[in-house]
Amino acid sequence: MRQEEIWNTDVAHGYDTPGTGMFAPEVLEPTVDRLAELAEGGPALEFAIGTGRVAVPLARRGVPVTGVEMSQPMVDRLRTKVDEATIPVVAGDMATARAPGTFQLVYLVYNTISNLLTQDEQVACFRNAARHLAPGGRFVIELWVPELRKLPPGQQAVVGGESGTGHFVLDAYDVLRQHVVSHHFWFGDGEETRMFRSPHRYIWPTELDLMARLAGFRLESRHADWHGAEFTAESRSHVSVYRRGEKGPDQLGG
Ligand SMILES: C[S@@+](CC[C@H](N)C(=O)[O-])C[C@H]1O[C@@H](n2cnc3c(N)ncnc32)[C@H](O)[C@@H]1O
């Protein structure tokens, strides 16, 4: 299934959940606070900007934001909130699309680097981030830690979800290809059921750091969340901040 088919009109319409889930103030405010701090007042570029969950409040903070996004229905939702002059968006693939200008900060949140399904595309995404930054500029990634410890030998799927919400997740693994397909199910009170499925290539933090090095970045910090909690062996997610070196990706070769 291609990303354009996944992020279709129905998904785009149901994406925003104002005030709850990923749109809850306790999730969004620390995200925006930290990104504004890391941008140091300079312009920011969001890869896979979606409906502007993060970009809209970040722009309201006074940080100029541009986006790259491949789904037109997601951009259409963004356009119900802000116009093109406030948040310009380049239509295309974050591994290759070029937005005009040089940025202080490029960010890619909510696990979205894993939507690129090959290692080559993920490395290309790092290189593309570096191309948009001056030396010293930052690339911030929010990504989950693969939960392979939940997968005993011989088992191919793990079931999770939040108790009492009617939301269940079935993660089906292909460990040879380093892929996981997440199937989300929502069960209503009656017979109503909704399903959303998305394929991912999962990445260990250390592999992510190696991709960064290939593109001329070094790791500046890694925390378990946007508040700056310590990243430990038990952390389920991380916010990693990379800084671009003097040499851009096109001067590094490889
Ligand atoms: C989980 S949503 C995240 C949206 C937004 N960043 C947020 O935090 O709410 C993933 C988004 O990534 C976009 N996307 C997936 N692969 C992409 C790619 N290769 N290039 C650009 N956008 C992509 C999808 O269209 C979708 O809007």
Side-chain angles (χ1 to χ4, degrees):
M1 216 177 171
R2 292 162 56 233
Q3 292 295 329
E4 297 93 312
E5 291 163 344
I6 295 170
W7 303 96
N8 59 25
T9 305
D10 283 349
V11 171
H13 273 260
Y15 188 82
D16 287 16
T17 55
T20 62
M22 289 303 281
F23 286 76
E26 61 272 25
V27 175
L28 215 37
E29 281 170 13
T31 308
V32 172
D33 286 347
R34 181 80 174 121
L35 290 172
E37 182 191 344
L38 291 168
E40 296 182 10
L45 176 65
E46 179 167 358
F47 279 172
I49 192 169
T51 65
R53 181 182 68 91
V54 174
V56 171
L58 187 60
R60 287 200 182 118
R61 272 306 158 84
V63 177
V65 185
T66 298
V68 171
E69 173 57 55
M70 79 171 14
S71 157
Q72 190 55 45
M74 294 294 272
V75 177
D76 291 343
R77 298 305 295 170
L78 168 71
R79 287 286 164 255
T80 64
K81 304 170 201 170
V82 291
D83 62 17
E84 178 75 27
T86 310
I87 301 186
V89 175
V90 173
D93 184 336
M94 61 191 171
T96 53
R98 185 74 173 94
T102 302
F103 299 85
Q104 284 278 101
L105 173 75
V106 180
Y107 64 95
L108 177 52
V109 295
Y110 203 177
N111 304 322
T112 304
I113 192 165
S114 70
N115 288 16
L116 297 168
L117 298 179
T118 66
Q119 190 183 53
D120 281 351
E121 286 174 293
Q122 292 172 344
V123 170
C125 183
F126 268 95
R127 293 203 164 111
N128 200 28
R131 256 177 228 120
H132 287 89
L133 292 165
R138 293 183 169 103
F139 184 32
V140 176
I141 295 207
E142 177 189 31
L143 185 62
W144 94 100
V145 178
E147 296 191 306
L148 285 192
R149 284 190 292 177
K150 288 187 176 169
L151 195 71
Q155 189 174 310
Q156 286 173 0
V158 172
V159 179
E162 303 136 57
S163 66
T165 62
H167 174 210
F168 295 87
V169 185
L170 188 147
D171 283 332
Y173 285 86
D174 175 344
V175 290
L176 270 186
R177 290 166 71 218
Q178 209 166 303
H179 277 186
V180 57
V181 181
S182 286
H183 305 71
H184 293 257
F185 301 93
W186 290 266
F187 297 103
D189 289 336
E191 292 187 352
E192 173 209 343
T193 311
R194 196 157 62 84
M195 206 265 272
F196 174 74
R197 183 171 49 190
S198 61
H200 303 265
R201 180 179 186 272
Y202 55 85
I203 316 169
W204 296 104
T206 47
E207 185 189 5
L208 200 71
D209 295 346
L210 195 56
M211 291 181 185
R213 283 170 56 186
L214 290 173
F217 287 102
R218 68 174 172 77
L219 182 67
E220 180 177 57
S221 66
R222 168 165 293 136
H223 291 104
D225 61 26
W226 293 100
H227 292 283
E230 185 187 358
F231 181 75
T232 71
E234 302 308 318
S235 298
R236 300 187 61 189
S237 185
H238 58 100
V239 175
S240 298
V241 180
Y242 297 98
R243 285 197 99 150
R244 210 203 96 158
E246 279 303 317
K247 285 190 179 170
D250 302 324
Q251 297 158 295
L252 289 167

